[in-house]
Amino acid sequence: MLEKKVIAVLGAGPGLGLSIARRFGREGFAVALVSRSAARQAAYREELSAAGIESRAYVADVRDPVGLRDVLAAITPDLGPIDTVYFGPVAADTSGGLVPITEVDAAAAREPFETLVLPAIELVGAVLPEMTERGSGAILIPGGLSGKYPIPMLGRLAPASAALRMYVLTLHEALKERGVYVATLTIGGLIKGGDIHTAVSKHFEQLEAEMPASLDPELIADQAWMMYVGRELPESEFSTLPVPA
């Protein structure tokens, strides 16, 4: 009997994280949902269960190195060895606000490195040894469009986003012959269903203004699955934002 594969969705939320969980779950994966709060986990698990998808939920702040390693260690005894990790917390951490590139100082640039880049490196350090030992596994890390194109208004995020993107692309190159697939989903724009999208939608409703175009998380999750199956593409881009030609 084949062992069921497991995907750990770290930073599980109502937008892309849940769509990733559903998409891989439809392919027979058991899903480990990890988020900082248990408040919405029961609803997530109920939705997955209705679709015939096995899941477990865990509470941890995966930006904390100890919490990250502890939660990863708890998943395997419950569900089995982790085949795939989707590291969602890095996708949309704009808690410090948008700072144009011309106003970015060292302090403003440092925080995104601490919340975007370093947690991703901690994740890889936690899961990669087992994956390389067995010669299989996948790591999917989304990132921001400002890491690929110069978008001055997102300047505060650009240095960390660029570092994260190059880190993932370099890992892909280093590991592609060793059975471990690493790739990035480069995202520019709001994702439907996510918390940021919900907050922005309410703002536009109050203004009685038209909401900007948004990204469909189901389409992104479909592409993530195709990337996982093909195991060749190091990056896919999804954007509603204008970028330099």
PDB file of all heavy atoms in Angstrom, residues 223-240:
ATOM      1  N   GLN A 223      -1.979  26.130 -11.026  1.00  0.00           N
ATOM      2  CA  GLN A 223      -0.638  26.252 -11.598  1.00  0.00           C
ATOM      3  C   GLN A 223       0.410  25.670 -10.662  1.00  0.00           C
ATOM      4  O   GLN A 223       1.364  25.029 -11.107  1.00  0.00           O
ATOM      5  CB  GLN A 223      -0.326  27.714 -11.905  1.00  0.00           C
ATOM      6  CG  GLN A 223       1.079  27.971 -12.439  1.00  0.00           C
ATOM      7  CD  GLN A 223       1.361  27.319 -13.778  1.00  0.00           C
ATOM      8  OE1 GLN A 223       0.452  26.795 -14.428  1.00  0.00           O
ATOM      9  NE2 GLN A 223       2.624  27.317 -14.186  1.00  0.00           N
ATOM     10  N   ALA A 224       0.235  25.886  -9.355  1.00  0.00           N
ATOM     11  CA  ALA A 224       1.171  25.308  -8.390  1.00  0.00           C
ATOM     12  C   ALA A 224       1.187  23.791  -8.506  1.00  0.00           C
ATOM     13  O   ALA A 224       2.245  23.151  -8.437  1.00  0.00           O
ATOM     14  CB  ALA A 224       0.799  25.735  -6.972  1.00  0.00           C
ATOM     15  N   TRP A 225       0.002  23.196  -8.700  1.00  0.00           N
ATOM     16  CA  TRP A 225      -0.059  21.742  -8.860  1.00  0.00           C
ATOM     17  C   TRP A 225       0.652  21.298 -10.134  1.00  0.00           C
ATOM     18  O   TRP A 225       1.414  20.324 -10.124  1.00  0.00           O
ATOM     19  CB  TRP A 225      -1.503  21.257  -8.866  1.00  0.00           C
ATOM     20  CG  TRP A 225      -1.587  19.797  -9.211  1.00  0.00           C
ATOM     21  CD1 TRP A 225      -2.032  19.241 -10.370  1.00  0.00           C
ATOM     22  CD2 TRP A 225      -1.156  18.702  -8.379  1.00  0.00           C
ATOM     23  NE1 TRP A 225      -1.916  17.873 -10.319  1.00  0.00           N
ATOM     24  CE2 TRP A 225      -1.380  17.517  -9.119  1.00  0.00           C
ATOM     25  CE3 TRP A 225      -0.613  18.616  -7.104  1.00  0.00           C
ATOM     26  CZ2 TRP A 225      -1.068  16.252  -8.603  1.00  0.00           C
ATOM     27  CZ3 TRP A 225      -0.300  17.363  -6.593  1.00  0.00           C
ATOM     28  CH2 TRP A 225      -0.528  16.208  -7.339  1.00  0.00           C
ATOM     29  N   MET A 226       0.426  22.018 -11.235  1.00  0.00           N
ATOM     30  CA  MET A 226       1.078  21.667 -12.487  1.00  0.00           C
ATOM     31  C   MET A 226       2.599  21.816 -12.371  1.00  0.00           C
ATOM     32  O   MET A 226       3.355  21.016 -12.940  1.00  0.00           O
ATOM     33  CB  MET A 226       0.542  22.532 -13.627  1.00  0.00           C
ATOM     34  CG  MET A 226      -0.930  22.308 -13.937  1.00  0.00           C
ATOM     35  SD  MET A 226      -1.315  20.567 -14.291  1.00  0.00           S
ATOM     36  CE  MET A 226      -0.360  20.313 -15.799  1.00  0.00           C
ATOM     37  N   MET A 227       3.040  22.829 -11.653  1.00  0.00           N
ATOM     38  CA  MET A 227       4.473  22.985 -11.415  1.00  0.00           C
ATOM     39  C   MET A 227       5.019  21.801 -10.622  1.00  0.00           C
ATOM     40  O   MET A 227       6.099  21.280 -10.916  1.00  0.00           O
ATOM     41  CB  MET A 227       4.739  24.291 -10.670  1.00  0.00           C
ATOM     42  CG  MET A 227       4.448  25.550 -11.478  1.00  0.00           C
ATOM     43  SD  MET A 227       4.457  27.044 -10.455  1.00  0.00           S
ATOM     44  CE  MET A 227       6.223  27.197 -10.097  1.00  0.00           C
ATOM     45  N   TYR A 228       4.278  21.392  -9.617  1.00  0.00           N
ATOM     46  CA  TYR A 228       4.696  20.258  -8.793  1.00  0.00           C
ATOM     47  C   TYR A 228       4.816  18.991  -9.640  1.00  0.00           C
ATOM     48  O   TYR A 228       5.787  18.229  -9.505  1.00  0.00           O
ATOM     49  CB  TYR A 228       3.691  20.047  -7.661  1.00  0.00           C
ATOM     50  CG  TYR A 228       3.915  18.762  -6.889  1.00  0.00           C
ATOM     51  CD1 TYR A 228       4.826  18.715  -5.842  1.00  0.00           C
ATOM     52  CD2 TYR A 228       3.223  17.605  -7.223  1.00  0.00           C
ATOM     53  CE1 TYR A 228       5.049  17.535  -5.141  1.00  0.00           C
ATOM     54  CE2 TYR A 228       3.432  16.421  -6.529  1.00  0.00           C
ATOM     55  CZ  TYR A 228       4.355  16.392  -5.489  1.00  0.00           C
ATOM     56  OH  TYR A 228       4.569  15.224  -4.811  1.00  0.00           O
ATOM     57  N   VAL A 229       3.849  18.770 -10.506  1.00  0.00           N
ATOM     58  CA  VAL A 229       3.853  17.569 -11.345  1.00  0.00           C
ATOM     59  C   VAL A 229       5.006  17.620 -12.356  1.00  0.00           C
ATOM     60  O   VAL A 229       5.741  16.647 -12.536  1.00  0.00           O
ATOM     61  CB  VAL A 229       2.504  17.415 -12.079  1.00  0.00           C
ATOM     62  CG1 VAL A 229       2.573  16.279 -13.100  1.00  0.00           C
ATOM     63  CG2 VAL A 229       1.390  17.154 -11.078  1.00  0.00           C
ATOM     64  N   GLY A 230       5.169  18.784 -13.013  1.00  0.00           N
ATOM     65  CA  GLY A 230       6.204  18.893 -14.025  1.00  0.00           C
ATOM     66  C   GLY A 230       7.613  18.987 -13.465  1.00  0.00           C
ATOM     67  O   GLY A 230       8.570  18.513 -14.079  1.00  0.00           O
ATOM     68  N   ARG A 231       7.741  19.659 -12.318  1.00  0.00           N
ATOM     69  CA  ARG A 231       9.001  19.753 -11.581  1.00  0.00           C
ATOM     70  C   ARG A 231      10.134  20.382 -12.403  1.00  0.00           C
ATOM     71  O   ARG A 231      11.301  20.063 -12.197  1.00  0.00           O
ATOM     72  CB  ARG A 231       9.426  18.381 -11.050  1.00  0.00           C
ATOM     73  CG  ARG A 231       8.351  17.708 -10.233  1.00  0.00           C
ATOM     74  CD  ARG A 231       8.795  16.368  -9.688  1.00  0.00           C
ATOM     75  NE  ARG A 231       9.578  16.514  -8.476  1.00  0.00           N
ATOM     76  CZ  ARG A 231       9.062  16.706  -7.263  1.00  0.00           C
ATOM     77  NH1 ARG A 231       7.751  16.789  -7.091  1.00  0.00           N
ATOM     78  NH2 ARG A 231       9.840  16.820  -6.203  1.00  0.00           N
ATOM     79  N   GLU A 232       9.789  21.275 -13.303  1.00  0.00           N
ATOM     80  CA  GLU A 232      10.804  21.935 -14.122  1.00  0.00           C
ATOM     81  C   GLU A 232      10.811  23.448 -13.938  1.00  0.00           C
ATOM     82  O   GLU A 232      11.880  24.053 -13.857  1.00  0.00           O
ATOM     83  CB  GLU A 232      10.601  21.606 -15.608  1.00  0.00           C
ATOM     84  CG  GLU A 232      10.876  20.149 -15.953  1.00  0.00           C
ATOM     85  CD  GLU A 232      10.747  19.886 -17.432  1.00  0.00           C
ATOM     86  OE1 GLU A 232      10.378  20.824 -18.173  1.00  0.00           O
ATOM     87  OE2 GLU A 232      11.001  18.747 -17.855  1.00  0.00           O
ATOM     88  N   LEU A 233       9.636  24.071 -13.890  1.00  0.00           N
ATOM     89  CA  LEU A 233       9.565  25.521 -13.795  1.00  0.00           C
ATOM     90  C   LEU A 233      10.047  26.014 -12.427  1.00  0.00           C
ATOM     91  O   LEU A 233       9.525  25.595 -11.400  1.00  0.00           O
ATOM     92  CB  LEU A 233       8.131  26.013 -13.994  1.00  0.00           C
ATOM     93  CG  LEU A 233       7.571  26.041 -15.416  1.00  0.00           C
ATOM     94  CD1 LEU A 233       6.118  26.494 -15.370  1.00  0.00           C
ATOM     95  CD2 LEU A 233       8.390  26.955 -16.302  1.00  0.00           C
ATOM     96  N   PRO A 234      11.015  26.906 -12.394  1.00  0.00           N
ATOM     97  CA  PRO A 234      11.435  27.455 -11.106  1.00  0.00           C
ATOM     98  C   PRO A 234      10.536  28.581 -10.621  1.00  0.00           C
ATOM     99  O   PRO A 234      10.597  28.956  -9.448  1.00  0.00           O
ATOM    100  CB  PRO A 234      12.843  27.986 -11.392  1.00  0.00           C
ATOM    101  CG  PRO A 234      12.812  28.336 -12.837  1.00  0.00           C
ATOM    102  CD  PRO A 234      11.894  27.345 -13.492  1.00  0.00           C
ATOM    103  N   GLU A 235       9.681  29.116 -11.521  1.00  0.00           N
ATOM    104  CA  GLU A 235       8.881  30.282 -11.164  1.00  0.00           C
ATOM    105  C   GLU A 235       7.664  30.396 -12.069  1.00  0.00           C
ATOM    106  O   GLU A 235       7.722  30.097 -13.255  1.00  0.00           O
ATOM    107  CB  GLU A 235       9.733  31.553 -11.309  1.00  0.00           C
ATOM    108  CG  GLU A 235       9.014  32.860 -11.027  1.00  0.00           C
ATOM    109  CD  GLU A 235       9.917  34.072 -11.163  1.00  0.00           C
ATOM    110  OE1 GLU A 235      10.909  33.999 -11.947  1.00  0.00           O
ATOM    111  OE2 GLU A 235       9.662  35.088 -10.493  1.00  0.00           O
ATOM    112  N   SER A 236       6.547  30.836 -11.484  1.00  0.00           N
ATOM    113  CA  SER A 236       5.379  31.263 -12.256  1.00  0.00           C
ATOM    114  C   SER A 236       4.955  32.616 -11.718  1.00  0.00           C
ATOM    115  O   SER A 236       5.028  32.868 -10.518  1.00  0.00           O
ATOM    116  CB  SER A 236       4.225  30.267 -12.138  1.00  0.00           C
ATOM    117  OG  SER A 236       4.457  29.125 -12.935  1.00  0.00           O
ATOM    118  N   GLU A 237       4.498  33.470 -12.622  1.00  0.00           N
ATOM    119  CA  GLU A 237       4.130  34.837 -12.250  1.00  0.00           C
ATOM    120  C   GLU A 237       2.633  35.052 -12.405  1.00  0.00           C
ATOM    121  O   GLU A 237       2.032  34.620 -13.389  1.00  0.00           O
ATOM    122  CB  GLU A 237       4.891  35.825 -13.143  1.00  0.00           C
ATOM    123  CG  GLU A 237       4.596  37.286 -12.848  1.00  0.00           C
ATOM    124  CD  GLU A 237       5.321  38.202 -13.822  1.00  0.00           C
ATOM    125  OE1 GLU A 237       6.512  37.952 -14.100  1.00  0.00           O
ATOM    126  OE2 GLU A 237       4.683  39.163 -14.304  1.00  0.00           O
ATOM    127  N   PHE A 238       2.044  35.730 -11.419  1.00  0.00           N
ATOM    128  CA  PHE A 238       0.618  36.050 -11.422  1.00  0.00           C
ATOM    129  C   PHE A 238       0.489  37.511 -11.024  1.00  0.00           C
ATOM    130  O   PHE A 238       0.921  37.896  -9.942  1.00  0.00           O
ATOM    131  CB  PHE A 238      -0.143  35.177 -10.420  1.00  0.00           C
ATOM    132  CG  PHE A 238       0.205  33.713 -10.506  1.00  0.00           C
ATOM    133  CD1 PHE A 238       1.283  33.203  -9.803  1.00  0.00           C
ATOM    134  CD2 PHE A 238      -0.537  32.858 -11.308  1.00  0.00           C
ATOM    135  CE1 PHE A 238       1.615  31.862  -9.879  1.00  0.00           C
ATOM    136  CE2 PHE A 238      -0.210  31.518 -11.389  1.00  0.00           C
ATOM    137  CZ  PHE A 238       0.871  31.017 -10.682  1.00  0.00           C
ATOM    138  N   SER A 239      -0.112  38.311 -11.888  1.00  0.00           N
ATOM    139  CA  SER A 239      -0.108  39.738 -11.567  1.00  0.00           C
ATOM    140  C   SER A 239      -1.267  40.478 -12.199  1.00  0.00           C
ATOM    141  O   SER A 239      -1.707  40.160 -13.310  1.00  0.00           O
ATOM    142  CB  SER A 239       1.199  40.376 -12.041  1.00  0.00           C
ATOM    143  OG  SER A 239       1.209  41.774 -11.753  1.00  0.00           O
ATOM    144  N   THR A 240      -1.759  41.463 -11.470  1.00  0.00           N
ATOM    145  CA  THR A 240      -2.707  42.432 -12.001  1.00  0.00           C
ATOM    146  C   THR A 240      -2.073  43.816 -12.051  1.00  0.00           C
ATOM    147  O   THR A 240      -2.721  44.791 -12.390  1.00  0.00           O
ATOM    148  CB  THR A 240      -3.968  42.503 -11.124  1.00  0.00           C
ATOM    149  OG1 THR A 240      -3.596  42.922  -9.804  1.00  0.00           O
ATOM    150  CG2 THR A 240      -4.677  41.151 -11.057  1.00  0.00           C
TER     151      THR A 240
END
